[in-house]
Amino acid sequence: MEDPSEQTAVSATSPQHVAVMVAEVAGLVRACNPMIVVDATIGTGGHAEALLEATGCQLIGLDRDAQALRVAAARLDRFGARVALFHRDFADLTEILEANGTPCVNAILADLGMSSLALDDAQRGFSFAREGPLDMRMDQRQTLRAGDLVNEESEAGLIRIIQDYGEDREARRIARAIVDARRQHPIATTAELRAIIRRAVHRRSGGIDPATRTFQALRIAVNHELESLGRMLHDAPARLAKGGRMVVIAYHSLEDRPVKQRFRELAAQGGFVLPRGKALRPSMAEIAHNRRARSARLRWIEKTAG
C-alpha cells in the first residue's frame, strides 16, 4: 500500500529523485541486446536514461503526465533522435507502435508507481499530506476529477470504489461520512477529505493513515488505472520480438496480481518463458536510499517464439 504522507519532498531533477531497481531493469533489458525499447511509463526519465546509457537502443517513451514528459524530454535531450516521446496512455501501446511503423520491439518496461513529481505538487491533489484541490488526474486533458467522485458518486458507488480499489474494511463507514459531510457543503480539498476520513476512522497505533486507502482508491478510479493495465498486459506481449522481454514493476497487490496472472497465463500457453522464483525485490541498501522502493515487486517474462 502506497502512503502519500510518507513521500519525501523532492523535485524531478533532484539527486533524491531516483528510479526504482534501475540496475535490475538495465540488466534484464541489456541481456536481450535491444534495438528498440518501450518505456511505457517514462515519468521523468530515470529508467529511460539508464537504458539509453546501457545499450544502443532506440527508445519509445509514453506517459499520461505532460509535466513529467517535459522533464523527461529535457533529461533525455542529449540522446537526440534515439528518443521518441508520446503523451499517451500505455493502454494505447499497440496503436502507437503501428502509427510509428514499429510492429515489434525488443523490450517493454512499465513502472507502475506514482512519481514524486506529481505527488509533491499540491495542486495535483494526489497526496493527503499536502492541501490542494481534489484533482488526481494523471492526464489533465481528461475531465473527471476526484472531487467529482467525492461529491457526486452515490454512497453505494463510493463503497465499491473504496472496497475494490482501496481494499479498505472501513469502506462503508468512510463512504457514509463523505456523504454526510457533502450534504453540508461540497468537499473541495484534500485536507477536507482527509479530516472527514480521520474523524470516521481512528488511526491504529503503528498503522497507516486512515486516508491512505481512500486516496489510492480515488486515484485508481479517476485514472482508470486497472483497466489501462489490463489492456496493456493483454496487448503488449504480442509486440515483443523473439527473445524480447517485458518488465513490470508493481507497488501493491491490485497491480501485481494481474501482472503475475497474465505472465503465468502466457507461459502456460507457450511461446513465453517465465523465470522461476518469486518477484524480484529491491535490496535493503536501495530501500535505505530510496524509501519509495520498499514495496516494489519486479516481474518479467521473455518471448521464445517468433
Side-chain angles (χ1 to χ4, degrees):
M1 180 63 60
E2 300 168 355
D3 188 344
S5 68
E6 294 185 352
Q7 296 295 332
T8 54
V10 295
S11 71
T13 56
S14 165
Q16 292 175 288
H17 187 93
V18 290
V20 172
M21 301 182 74
V22 172
E24 291 86 346
V25 169
L28 287 168
V29 172
R30 185 172 56 236
C32 61
N33 298 313
M35 294 178 62
I36 304 175
V37 172
V38 173
D39 188 337
T41 51
I42 198 167
T44 57
H47 285 115
E49 183 176 44
L51 294 175
L52 288 160
E53 289 175 341
T55 73
C57 74
Q58 299 285 322
L59 185 132
I60 298 170
L62 287 60
D63 210 282
R64 287 194 278 183
D65 188 333
Q67 183 183 16
L69 273 176
R70 287 192 291 271
V71 175
R75 184 176 194 164
L76 305 177
D77 181 66
R78 63 190 172 96
F79 296 102
R82 291 176 62 195
V83 178
L85 301 180
F86 297 88
H87 184 197
R88 296 286 292 274
D89 186 339
F90 60 25
D92 302 326
L93 177 60
T94 292
E95 178 185 335
I96 293 165
L97 292 179
E98 289 288 349
N100 199 50
T102 311
C104 62
V105 300
N106 305 105
I108 299 170
L109 166 67
D111 179 347
L112 305 179
M114 280 292 300
S115 74
S116 296
L117 180 68
L119 281 168
D120 294 337
D121 185 349
Q123 293 305 305
R124 301 289 297 275
F126 287 109
S127 174
F128 57 77
R130 297 167 178 82
E131 183 167 10
L134 282 169
D135 193 318
M136 300 195 191
R137 292 172 298 165
M138 291 180 179
D139 186 342
Q140 295 192 304
R141 296 173 298 185
Q142 76 175 49
T143 56
L144 180 67
R145 295 170 168 83
D148 298 325
L149 295 179
V150 167
N151 289 295
E152 299 173 16
E153 184 63 74
S154 67
E155 183 173 340
L158 287 172
I159 292 171
R160 179 189 59 79
I161 288 169
I162 299 168
Q163 281 182 337
D164 291 354
Y165 300 150
E167 300 182 300
D168 196 325
R169 298 176 185 175
E170 303 290 351
R172 292 182 180 277
R173 184 178 297 180
I174 293 169
R176 166 52 54 184
I178 290 171
V179 171
D180 287 345
R182 77 189 190 193
R183 288 196 181 105
Q184 306 303 314
H185 60 80
I187 302 167
T189 70
T190 55
E192 288 180 68
L193 180 59
R194 176 187 63 201
I196 291 165
I197 298 169
R198 286 178 174 175
R199 286 195 297 269
V201 181
H202 297 296
R203 186 171 189 167
R204 296 176 182 175
S205 178
I208 64 172
D209 191 291
T212 301
R213 296 178 187 274
T214 298
F215 270 67
Q216 173 184 291
L218 289 170
R219 188 201 80 211
I220 291 173
V222 165
N223 297 289
H224 306 289
E225 291 179 34
L226 298 184
E227 294 89 340
S228 290
L229 177 60
R231 283 180 57 194
M232 190 269 289
L233 289 173
H234 180 271
D235 296 345
R239 292 293 165 173
L240 288 172
K242 183 177 181 180
R245 292 178 171 180
M246 183 169 180
V247 180
V248 182
I249 304 175
Y251 294 81
H252 54 75
S253 60
L254 290 173
E255 297 170 340
D256 186 52
R257 192 179 302 123
V259 175
K260 181 179 180 178
Q261 290 173 345
R262 177 58 172 156
F263 282 6
R264 285 182 171 177
E265 177 184 276
L266 288 167
Q269 291 173 353
F272 289 86
V273 62
L274 185 64
R276 293 182 180 180
K278 298 181 179 179
L280 298 179
R281 302 297 298 269
S283 67
M284 294 303 295
E286 178 172 3
I287 293 171
H289 178 62
N290 182 18
R291 183 167 173 77
R292 73 180 289 261
R294 67 194 183 280
S295 58
R297 295 175 176 84
L298 184 155
R299 298 184 188 276
W300 63 279
I301 196 164
E302 180 174 324
K303 190 169 186 178
T304 55

